[in-house]
Amino acid sequence: DNFIKLPGNYLFSSIAKKVNAFKSAHPEAALIRLGIGDVTRPLPPASIKAMHRAVDELADAGTFHGYGPEQGYDFLIQAILEHDYRSRGVELRPTEIFVSDGAKSDTGNFGDILGTGNKVAVTDPVYPVYIDSNVMAGRAGELQANGQWNRLTYLPCTAENHFIPSLPQEPVDMIYLCYPNNPTGTTLTKAELQKWVDYALAHKALILYDAAYEAYICESDVPHSIYEIEGAKKCAVEFHSYSKTAGFTGLRCGYTVVPKELVFKSKRGEDVQLNQLWNRRQCTKFNGVPYIIQRAAEAVYSPEGFKQTREDIAYYKENARIIREGLESIGLTVFGGVDAPYIWLKAPEGMTSWELFDLLLEKVNIVSTPGSGFGPSGEGYLRLTSFGSRENTLRAIERIKTLSFK
Ligand code: PLP
């Protein structure tokens, strides 16, 4: 009954329909796709080497690996603790890390251990998985004519509030935050995130913090982890992904941090440790990430792996700079793209997201993503991504510069 409440994924099917119709009518047009959320550069050579070695290990009875620990191999967990946390002054225990097949699964599945009566807050615009997975669990209520679910609390993020959501005006139990943000590419500073942690502690709410784009952060007052914030271990789980950090979109690996300090009341009033519940959930429903893939993830933290992944991220970030500055040079207003691979373009006065999408497709053959597809507050914006090739990114900006938005 909950699943059938979900509307179809109109955003990406509508984009595909429009693009296909355009291609049939103009087979000669050389389309450039700046809408994609997938990486295009190959895996770091250090991970490829590690996988070759791991394959050979599996070929020998003496080094073969079958089922591994559901929570992940210790070699990867130790690398995560050292490089993603200890180096930033955050101490976590090995049993607080759960290696997974990516942040989509874990952000979507984490609700398994949380009450279906909980009130959920999401930022608007938003990564759709947070909403859809709560619809499936029955927490979202009914879809209304304005495109919002009646039991969700929406926290608008627009240019007017500098993409900083206001604290909820009504009591909520679960709060999804994603920084650097998909789709807006904007961030919260440490001081801004502290307000959320303080709010969650005061209201006994759980923050589900998605740090999938953490590797793109370059500004010093932007936290890489919510655990850099005082009190966060008592109110936040954190999701990580190697997808955009190291090109693992097809390999599939990430991890979730569930600190032991996270203790919430059950309906019967008992204190319950989320770490224990998540461990129980994973041991029942998940059989671990392949050994080969975990070796590839471990290699991301080696000196060569680190250098190689930084080079790829720098490549995408240079694309983001080209897009951002190119659009600004013709008087357009853009956000994001500094600590993130996403650029959030404000549509010129009086234009909707889809009108700007159509203009870019028809006049300069560029595919983008209309902001309204990420939620009502995305109306009037467009998402561009920096995951294309340098050549196409440069070409796209030159084409956009030929347009007149007067
Ligand atoms: N979280 C956010 C905010 C994303 O944008 C994405 C991918 O686009 C994911 C999670 C999914 O990451 P993964 O590939 O690790 O499942």
Side-chain angles (χ1 to χ4, degrees), residues 6 14 82 94 125 149 174 184 250 272 287 296 299 306 349 357-358 376:
L6 282 168
S14 307
E82 181 60 35
W149 296 86
M174 297 160 56
T184 67
V272 181
N287 245 341
F306 184 76
E349 199 57 39
F357 172 92
D358 288 340

Side-chain angles (χ1 to χ4, degrees), residues 59-339:
D60 185 311
T63 49
F64 171 73
H65 286 78
Y67 289 125
E70 289 91 347
Q71 304 82 355
Y73 283 103
D74 196 52
F75 60 79
L76 178 54
I77 290 174
Q78 291 301 335
I80 290 167
L81 291 175
E82 181 60 35
H83 298 280
D84 287 348
Y85 292 102
R86 198 160 298 134
S87 64
R88 302 201 170 103
V90 176
E91 278 301 325
L92 290 166
R93 305 169 185 95
T95 48
E96 294 174 319
I97 307 290
F98 295 85
V99 175
S100 74
D101 64 348
K104 187 197 243 185
S105 318
D106 278 10
T107 51
N109 289 332
F110 205 81
D112 269 17
I113 64 163
L114 301 170
T116 49
N118 284 335
K119 278 282 286 169
V120 176
V122 291
T123 55
D124 171 26
V126 71
Y127 176 56
V129 172
Y130 313 150
I131 291 187
D132 290 0
S133 57
N134 278 294
V135 174
M136 292 171 182
R139 288 189 201 93
E142 303 299 325
L143 186 58
Q144 305 168 116
N146 65 0
Q148 297 192 339
W149 296 86
N150 67 349
R151 286 203 72 243
L152 296 185
T153 296
Y154 290 82
L155 309 166
C157 296
T158 60
E160 286 67 42
N161 63 8
H162 308 286
F163 301 94
I164 301 169
S166 304
L167 296 169
Q169 297 303 302
E170 53 203 20
V172 296
D173 305 299
M174 297 160 56
I175 303 163
Y176 288 84
L177 295 178
C178 170
Y179 291 101
N181 190 258
N182 177 17
T184 67
T186 58
T187 52
L188 291 186
T189 62
K190 285 182 185 164
E192 284 151 4
L193 191 53
Q194 183 74 59
K195 289 184 199 157
W196 283 93
V197 168
D198 293 344
Y199 172 91
L201 290 173
H203 294 82
K204 297 188 170 34
L206 174 69
I207 296 177
L208 297 113
Y209 194 75
D210 189 342
Y213 299 96
E214 168 275 314
Y216 290 76
I217 294 171
C218 55
E219 293 179 301
S220 61
D221 62 344
V222 176
H224 287 256
S225 162
I226 195 166
Y227 305 119
E228 291 173 46
I229 308 300
E230 184 83 38
K233 283 186 188 172
K234 290 200 169 84
C235 65
V237 291
E238 181 164 278
F239 303 98
H240 277 255
S241 167
Y242 295 100
S243 287
K244 311 297 161 69
T245 308
F248 276 47
T249 50
L251 274 190
R252 311 303 309 142
C253 196
Y255 64 89
T256 293
V257 184
V258 191
K260 298 247 164 114
E261 287 88 337
L262 280 175
V263 175
F264 287 85
K265 292 270 183 228
S266 72
K267 261 193 195 158
R268 285 196 302 238
E270 303 152 310
D271 283 336
V272 181
Q273 207 181 45
L274 293 194
N275 180 286
Q276 273 181 8
L277 295 192
W278 185 243
N279 189 45
R280 189 71 175 81
R281 188 268 176 208
Q282 290 297 82
C283 290
T284 300
K285 293 194 180 181
F286 185 60
N287 245 341
V289 175
Y291 174 72
I292 299 169
I293 310 285
Q294 292 193 58
R295 282 294 184 197
E298 180 195 24
V300 168
Y301 298 102
S302 67
E304 323 81 80
F306 184 76
K307 185 168 169 285
Q308 291 156 3
T309 51
R310 289 291 123 181
E311 282 166 5
D312 288 334
I313 291 167
Y315 179 95
Y316 295 134
K317 288 188 63 160
E318 175 61 8
N319 284 350
R321 187 195 64 77
I322 290 166
I323 298 171
R324 222 179 50 238
E325 294 182 4
L327 298 176
E328 280 172 345
S329 76
I330 54 167
L332 292 170
T333 304
V334 294
F335 303 94
V338 175
D339 296 297

